[in-house]
Amino acid sequence: MLIHRTLAEIAPVADKVTSYFYALVFTGHPDVRGMFPASMDVQRDRLLKALLTAAEHIDAPDVLVPYLRRLGTGHRKYGTTAGHYPAVGEALIGALARYAEFTWGPETQAAWVRAYTAISQIMIDAAAEDEVEAPAWWHAEVVSHDLRTSDIAVLTVRPDQPYPFLAGQYTSLETPWWPRVWRHYSFASAPRADGLLSFHIKAVPAGWVSNALVRHAQPGDVLRLGPPAGSMVVDHTTDNGMLCLGGGTGIAPIKALIEDVAEHGERRPMEVFFGARSDNDLYDKDTLMGLQRSHPWLSVRPVVGGGLDGQLPQAVGEHGPWSSYDAFVSGPPAMIRSGVDALKRIGIPGERIRYDAFEELAGVAG
């Protein structure tokens, strides 16, 4: 209750809380500054937002613990160690004490100290366990760069050591042009015998990493990969049909799911809706139609039209019924939100809809 009151009070001044939080971290521990990007515009509220989101769900351990464990292992790629957590905790308490003037007091501070202690310990333990099994990051050499449209490229890389992942998952990726700036990208294929990994990258306006990868990356460049993450994977213990919605480059993990089902020798019905704003943006249409010709259990329906977040779910509603299907949704955030809502409206239970909303606890819980 005390934590929720604090969160409600600081919500209107979140920007000030964020700025003060980082000021306390960097002035109190200047050695930590080098772990962040040169420009904080990109990083800005990510760390604090994750901490506040975790505190908000402190009474829901079934949701919170998996989320924190992923954060803890993911933070290894930044060089985070157990010794960094107290500095962050001090800054968190200091920023809250300054801006939650009406709800703050000894009892509230004690509640936040207890919450942060629990949160940080879960992350520290997860990182320590992961360190035994996996590197903090992988180096990956670009082996091919295929520009499909003026702003979409298919990138294939070779990791320097085996990279274990599941079809439908994603990773975080850092380029040599923007050190310490990481962005999430889904794997565009199932695990391959040759160990190569593929990604579909769309250059977005003011997107540092995406523009670097589409416009500048070339064979021989070396990127860094964080650990795999994500829960949008195939359940091979069931033969339920699969209904897949992929918007834009969100078709990448859907393509990986198709390959995964094929490799397992399954013949479950798989219905794929591939949405884009224009025909030109259906950049992987030929590949998908080729997969459809090879697999009679697969049906691919391209959907073109403005307002992608509304057009694709509408098209899905015109087919069906989907009551016996598991659903998978991937694409821009607005498309995921409208897609999930539309699927629930046509009768697919929320627990059978899989998607990953990067860095959002709501996405982990959903």
Side-chain angles (χ1 to χ4, degrees):
M1 184 181 65
L2 293 169
I3 285 172
H4 282 281
R5 285 179 182 169
T6 309
L7 292 170
E9 183 179 353
I10 66 168
V13 290
D15 281 353
K16 292 181 179 178
V17 176
T18 301
S19 297
Y20 193 65
F21 166 77
Y22 282 114
L24 291 176
V25 172
F26 296 154
T27 56
H29 303 273
D31 53 304
V32 175
R33 181 63 181 90
M35 297 170 63
F36 291 81
S39 170
M40 286 296 289
D41 292 348
V42 174
Q43 191 70 24
R44 188 122 157 84
D45 60 354
R46 189 168 294 168
L47 173 58
L48 181 60
K49 183 179 180 182
L51 293 174
L52 296 179
T53 302
E56 186 178 3
H57 292 77
I58 196 71
D59 54 355
D62 56 327
V63 171
L64 182 62
V65 172
Y67 171 71
L68 290 175
R69 287 186 62 83
R70 276 189 284 274
L71 280 180
T73 55
H75 283 171
R76 291 182 58 215
K77 65 180 178 286
Y78 297 109
T80 305
T81 67
H84 291 121
Y85 283 90
V88 172
E90 291 169 16
L92 174 65
I93 299 301
L96 293 174
R98 172 158 180 172
Y99 286 99
E101 51 187 306
F102 297 111
T103 52
W104 201 257
E107 199 177 348
T108 301
Q109 178 165 324
W112 274 96
V113 168
R114 285 196 300 274
Y116 180 76
T117 301
I119 287 168
S120 57
Q121 195 59 55
I122 292 170
M123 296 169 74
I124 290 168
D125 290 347
E129 292 169 24
D130 189 61
E131 189 173 4
V132 177
E133 301 176 358
W137 61 76
W138 287 253
H139 287 103
E141 181 183 354
V142 176
V143 295
S144 73
H145 183 282
D146 178 12
L147 197 62
R148 296 287 181 87
T149 73
S150 61
D151 57 4
I152 296 177
V154 174
L155 211 67
T156 302
V157 304
R158 179 184 290 110
D160 61 342
Q161 51 189 308
Y163 188 101
F165 73 99
L166 299 174
Q169 287 192 307
Y170 62 89
T171 187
S172 49
L173 193 153
E174 180 204 48
T175 74
W177 302 281
W178 296 106
R180 298 183 297 282
V181 179
W182 296 77
R183 286 291 180 270
H184 290 127
Y185 293 101
S186 296
F187 300 103
S189 62
R192 295 163 48 165
D194 59 12
L196 297 180
L197 310 172
S198 291
F199 304 96
H200 295 181
I201 316 289
K202 180 180 177 64
V204 297
W208 295 6
V209 174
S210 65
N211 276 279
L213 290 172
V214 172
R215 321 260 183 234
H216 302 297
Q218 56 186 349
D221 289 334
V222 177
L223 314 175
R224 286 206 297 177
L225 307 177
S231 56
M232 201 182 75
V233 298
V234 179
D235 179 1
H236 291 292
T237 65
T238 177
D239 57 1
N240 288 352
M242 293 171 60
L243 170 60
C244 303
L245 281 65
T249 53
I251 198 63
I254 304 297
K255 181 169 168 279
L257 296 179
I258 296 171
E259 293 181 1
D260 191 33
V261 170
E263 286 172 12
H264 277 78
E266 297 164 4
R267 298 182 63 82
R268 63 170 82 186
M270 193 167 184
E271 304 281 341
V272 174
F273 290 80
F274 178 14
R277 296 191 182 280
S278 68
D279 283 320
N280 185 55
D281 288 330
L282 291 171
Y283 65 93
D284 214 30
K285 179 181 173 181
D286 290 347
T287 304
L288 291 166
M289 300 313 286
L291 287 169
Q292 177 180 254
R293 287 190 293 273
S294 302
H295 305 300
W297 42 263
L298 173 65
S299 173
V300 178
R301 294 187 177 94
V303 180
V304 177
L308 181 61
D309 53 336
Q311 194 80 10
L312 193 55
Q314 180 184 334
V316 173
E318 293 169 357
H319 296 83
W322 307 114
S323 55
S324 62
Y325 281 68
D326 293 331
F328 300 77
V329 188
S330 178
M335 192 226 102
I336 291 178
R337 286 192 295 270
S338 63
V340 170
D341 290 344
L343 292 172
K344 288 179 179 176
R345 282 197 302 273
I346 61 177
I348 298 181
E351 64 270 16
R352 283 175 44 199
I353 303 174
R354 300 191 180 187
Y355 62 97
D356 286 310
F358 300 150
E359 302 180 331
E360 295 295 333
L361 189 53
V364 177

